[in-house]
Amino acid sequence: MTRGQSGTWRGKLAGSQREGCKIIDVISRRNVPRRKSPGGIFRIFSLRPGFPLWLSLVALLGASPLGAQSPQSPAAAANEANPSEAAQIGSSSASAQAPDPPVPGIIHGTIVDPNGTAVAGARVKLARPDQSPNQETQSSDDGQYSFANIAPGPFQLSITAEGFAAKSSSGVLHSGETVVVPQITLALTTEITEVRVELSPIEIAQEQIRDEEKQRVLGFIPNFYVSYIPNAAPLNTRQKFELAWKSTFDPVTFAITGGIAGIQQAENQFSGYGQGAQGYAKRYGASYTDLVTNTFVGGAILPALFKQDPRYFYKGTGSKRSRVFYAIANSVICKGDNGHWQTNYSAILGGLAAGGISNLYYPASDRGAGLVFENAAVGIGATAVANLLQEFVIRKLSSHVPGNAPTTP
């Protein structure tokens, strides 16, 4: 604005003041904004007639949605930019917080023999290390088996079948998985047939008698009526007579009887028989008859009736004192067929019976009841001496003694 224009403006203003308040009010209202604007732009535009319209446009632009948007976070911007990625991020976050529950699975397989033939009826047991209850099933006709609704985890199968060796298989079942166990081939078992032949007491006793019949003193004198087995089986009637028969008809028995008859004749015992061959024959016959009578009556007939064992049972253990008393006592006691010790009625009555029978063939001077009892007592004493010899001497001189016989301490 030039100096001339400025002077003109001042003149107009002064004139206006003189004209009244109306003009002063208009000018004063237009000059209300006194705040300086950068570069004086608003001051210039405020004096122009189009300024109100321009200001209205600016106001409209400021109220539009573009200008009203508030600042957004990067996450919100990312969500609006890609909704699918946002959904995936939310899904993974939820899964990390709550894992999916385990889903039961299935276990199945097939069982065959070495030839590849299906094995039916095999027992299959499913065991779990977590000590959950075991399950069991059987293979079908086609050899297949199956377990359903099995919780995930390690497992072990045990397979058994008649005629086959047991076998096992293990694996791990994952959540919702169907495990097909590799085909299981069962091996045939090696059949071991154990045959136990148990002999009856009679058969056992028979075997023991055969061993006793081999027992001989000095290798030739019969020693059949001694058992070196403490718990030997009892003899039945037939076996008692068999033992008596074998003892009395042994060739050595005949020879020993001949020697006894010769001693009697040399000492002129039973003088009623005389001397010479006739006297020797009578003495031989009487001695052998005594032997047979004593053996069969006291060792077979009466033992069969009283159910007693005619044998001497070798002790072989304990102190010498106990063994002496045992040997002497066995002249009047014996073991019964029931295994219990009892009075030896067979030997005592057998000696009396043999003495009574001897009255039929001994000379008249050597007969009588007194002689019978005297001979019976002598027989008991002779038995006690024989038992002592059996306990301490004869065993050492006998052959074919059983290996399980007790030994002398």
Side-chain angles (χ1 to χ4, degrees), residues 133-154:
N134 296 337
Q135 299 185 36
E136 187 172 322
T137 186
Q138 289 188 348
S139 59
S140 57
D141 293 339
D142 56 0
Q144 295 186 1
Y145 61 91
S146 179
F147 294 95
N149 296 323
I150 305 302

Side-chain angles (χ1 to χ4, degrees), residues 87 114 173 269 275 297 327 332:
L173 176 66
Q269 295 179 5
Q275 292 293 323
V297 175
V332 291

Side-chain angles (χ1 to χ4, degrees), residues 5-28:
Q5 291 176 344
S6 174
T8 304
W9 177 260
R10 288 190 188 100
K12 289 181 180 181
L13 180 60
S16 299
Q17 290 176 352
R18 288 192 298 264
E19 291 177 353
C21 298
K22 186 175 181 181
I23 296 174
I24 295 172
D25 182 63
V26 172
I27 295 174
S28 65

Side-chain angles (χ1 to χ4, degrees), residues 37-255:
S37 300
I41 297 175
F42 287 98
R43 182 182 301 173
I44 297 171
F45 280 101
S46 63
L47 298 178
R48 294 185 180 182
F51 177 75
L53 178 60
W54 178 84
L55 187 60
S56 300
L57 291 175
V58 173
L60 289 174
L61 290 175
S64 66
L66 293 176
Q69 290 179 353
S70 61
Q72 297 179 351
S73 63
N79 291 344
E80 292 184 2
N82 195 341
S84 62
E85 292 182 2
Q88 291 179 359
I89 293 173
S91 167
S92 62
S93 176
S95 62
Q97 295 176 358
D100 295 336
V103 179
I106 300 174
I107 302 173
H108 66 87
T110 307
I111 303 173
V112 298
D113 62 13
N115 297 325
T117 305
V119 177
R123 296 179 58 185
V124 185
K125 182 182 293 184
L126 173 64
R128 308 298 302 275
D130 57 2
Q131 298 182 354
S132 59
N134 296 337
Q135 299 185 36
E136 187 172 322
T137 186
Q138 289 188 348
S139 59
S140 57
D141 293 339
D142 56 0
Q144 295 186 1
Y145 61 91
S146 179
F147 294 95
N149 296 323
I150 305 302
F155 64 88
Q156 183 172 9
L157 299 176
S158 301
I159 301 93
T160 56
E162 185 177 357
F164 295 92
K167 198 167 185 178
S168 62
S169 178
S170 60
V172 177
L173 176 66
H174 298 93
S175 179
E177 184 182 17
T178 298
V179 173
V180 180
V181 180
Q183 181 174 279
I184 297 175
T185 303
L186 299 181
L188 295 172
T189 56
T190 303
E191 296 185 1
I192 300 176
T193 304
E194 182 180 357
V195 179
R196 296 184 61 185
V197 179
E198 295 185 358
L199 301 176
S200 65
I202 296 177
E203 292 173 330
I204 295 175
Q206 189 64 38
E207 292 297 326
Q208 293 172 349
I209 287 177
R210 290 175 183 173
D211 292 335
E212 292 170 9
E213 291 173 353
K214 298 176 183 178
Q215 298 170 176
R216 293 181 179 271
V217 181
L218 300 177
F220 67 96
I221 301 174
N223 190 28
F224 303 159
Y225 275 93
V226 177
S227 174
Y228 292 99
I229 302 175
N231 57 344
L235 306 178
N236 62 10
T237 300
R238 184 184 63 82
Q239 291 167 340
K240 292 172 183 178
F241 276 89
E242 176 185 346
L243 197 59
W245 174 270
K246 292 289 184 66
S247 179
T248 56
F249 287 91
D250 188 86
V252 179
T253 302
F254 290 108

Side-chain angles (χ1 to χ4, degrees), residues 272-294:
Y273 289 144
Q275 292 293 323
Q278 185 177 7
Y280 178 80
K282 291 180 180 180
R283 290 182 176 87
Y284 185 92
S287 296
Y288 186 74
T289 303
D290 287 344
L291 175 65
V292 172
T293 303
N294 273 291

